[in-house]
Amino acid sequence: MHRLIPVAFAAFASLISPAAAQSPVVVELFTSQGCSSCPPADKLMHELAKRDDVIALALHVDYWDYIGWKDEFADPAYAKRQRGYAVEAGRRSVYTPQMIINGQTDIVGARPMELSRLIMEYAEKSTPVSLEVTRDGESVQIVAQSSASNGPLVVQMLRYTPERTARITRGENAGHTISYANVTEDWKILQEWDGITDLSIKADAPGEKPLVVMVQKGLSGPILAAAQLR
């Protein structure tokens, strides 16, 4: 597992100023309760989760379960998603903690300065896709338009729990109680979209948990638009 250099989390909020953007910047953290290098990155996610210009998602992977602690938040589908990003980028392996920004750029663990720069860079970029998501009772209405042909695009929806805590008794983090922000669950593909015709769909979303809708080029390409309902 990758080891992290300690960083000053208290200064993180002042290092990155919110920037206006057409779409929030999506930061996916691939993490594990069984990874001793992950807690600094997990802590950083709490700061990201407070921001309106960032959608922070914690995807717990299962490939460290063998070392003595089974991550109760893990889903094999997230490890598959991470491997897809690796293949797309020409990387031979996956690791934790890893952050993927807007489906395109990866950084190791918790590096506030580098993350600050990348968030600002992506926030300043224009996107050809406009996306609007609204609640409608137990469902959501999703409307999207594209000013360029970018298909095929994949429309995805997920739910998350804003904060979950785990008391870890075995493995590398044994004896620690760790709080995790925006723990992702119930990730599903709603449909493919050609990016030419206007998109208007309704999806079931019972309950009160926050949700995120993303429009992505394929399953491992750039995220062109994202919206969050808290």
Side-chain angles (χ1 to χ4, degrees), residues 137-209:
E138 294 287 277
S139 62
V140 292
Q141 183 69 40
I142 302 166
V143 177
Q145 295 178 317
S146 178
S147 60
S149 177
N150 294 284
L153 304 176
V154 180
V155 183
Q156 304 167 77
M157 186 176 75
L158 59 97
R159 311 298 291 270
Y160 66 84
T161 299
E163 184 171 5
R164 296 185 70 177
T165 301
R167 181 174 176 271
I168 302 169
T169 60
R170 297 187 303 277
E172 291 191 350
N173 289 320
H176 294 276
T177 297
I178 301 175
S179 174
Y180 299 92
N182 290 11
V183 178
T184 303
E185 56 198 61
D186 194 27
W187 194 306
K188 62 182 68 174
I189 296 172
L190 297 180
Q191 72 172 62
E192 283 197 353
W193 176 36
D194 60 13
I196 300 173
T197 57
D198 291 350
L199 177 75
S200 180
I201 59 176
K202 183 174 284 190
D204 292 335
E208 299 181 351
K209 284 191 175 182

Side-chain angles (χ1 to χ4, degrees), residues 61-183:
V61 298
D62 62 346
Y63 50 77
W64 294 125
D65 288 359
Y66 76 94
I67 62 175
W69 178 255
K70 181 177 174 59
D71 189 326
E72 60 190 304
F73 307 152
D75 188 326
Y78 300 151
K80 181 178 180 181
R81 181 172 176 82
Q82 188 183 24
R83 288 192 293 270
Y85 279 135
V87 171
E88 186 75 16
R91 295 187 294 269
R92 295 185 177 182
S93 61
V94 295
Y95 60 89
T96 56
Q98 181 188 37
M99 289 183 176
I100 304 287
I101 295 86
N102 264 18
Q104 299 174 69
T105 304
D106 77 297
I107 61 174
V108 177
R111 295 182 175 178
M113 294 299 291
E114 185 176 2
L115 183 59
S116 166
R117 176 181 59 80
L118 288 169
I119 288 174
M120 287 190 290
E121 285 181 3
Y122 277 106
E124 291 170 356
K125 292 181 179 180
S126 61
T127 172
V129 176
S130 65
L131 174 65
E132 182 179 0
V133 181
T134 54
R135 290 192 188 275
D136 183 11
E138 294 287 277
S139 62
V140 292
Q141 183 69 40
I142 302 166
V143 177
Q145 295 178 317
S146 178
S147 60
S149 177
N150 294 284
L153 304 176
V154 180
V155 183
Q156 304 167 77
M157 186 176 75
L158 59 97
R159 311 298 291 270
Y160 66 84
T161 299
E163 184 171 5
R164 296 185 70 177
T165 301
R167 181 174 176 271
I168 302 169
T169 60
R170 297 187 303 277
E172 291 191 350
N173 289 320
H176 294 276
T177 297
I178 301 175
S179 174
Y180 299 92
N182 290 11
V183 178

